[in-house]
Amino acid sequence: MSVDVTLLPATIPHRFHEEDVDRIRRFEDRTDGGKLRFEYSIPDSGSLIVWRVTDPHVNAEVEAVFGPAAWEEVQGDLHRSLH
């Protein structure tokens, strides 16, 4: 499953409020030409980390980080560390 992050309205610059700005940031899984999955984790700090996983037996790489005041909702698969 892909990861969808809904940003808080306060994170959108004021000049874009008049436009129809999509607050959802989508990290889509891909299977064409190789397997790529996205997962998320929320450490104690309240930040949201989106992980890029190419092989479930190898450590994942950080794709994006959102501070605790930047996001309001996340949907997707929870990242489970190998450690």
Side-chain angles (χ1 to χ4, degrees):
M1 177 179 199
S2 299
V3 173
D4 293 338
V5 179
T6 303
L7 300 176
L8 287 167
T11 63
I12 308 297
H14 184 65
R15 66 182 178 273
F16 295 114
H17 281 285
E18 293 89 29
E19 301 174 19
D20 187 22
V21 176
D22 188 5
R23 293 189 305 133
I24 296 175
R25 299 298 178 258
R26 178 163 283 140
F27 300 88
E28 293 192 35
D29 295 346
R30 293 189 299 260
T31 57
D32 55 337
K35 192 171 183 176
L36 175 63
R37 288 180 39 91
F38 290 98
E39 300 173 348
Y40 75 91
S41 64
I42 304 171
D44 292 339
S45 68
S47 295
L48 171 66
I49 303 170
V50 178
W51 297 91
R52 181 180 340 117
V53 182
T54 54
D55 182 342
H57 304 293
V58 178
N59 286 336
E61 296 180 23
V62 173
E63 178 73 14
V65 178
F66 300 91
W71 65 280
E72 72 177 310
E73 184 179 9
V74 63
Q75 295 178 345
D77 289 333
L78 191 60
H79 177 68
R80 295 195 183 357
S81 175
L82 294 175
H83 302 287

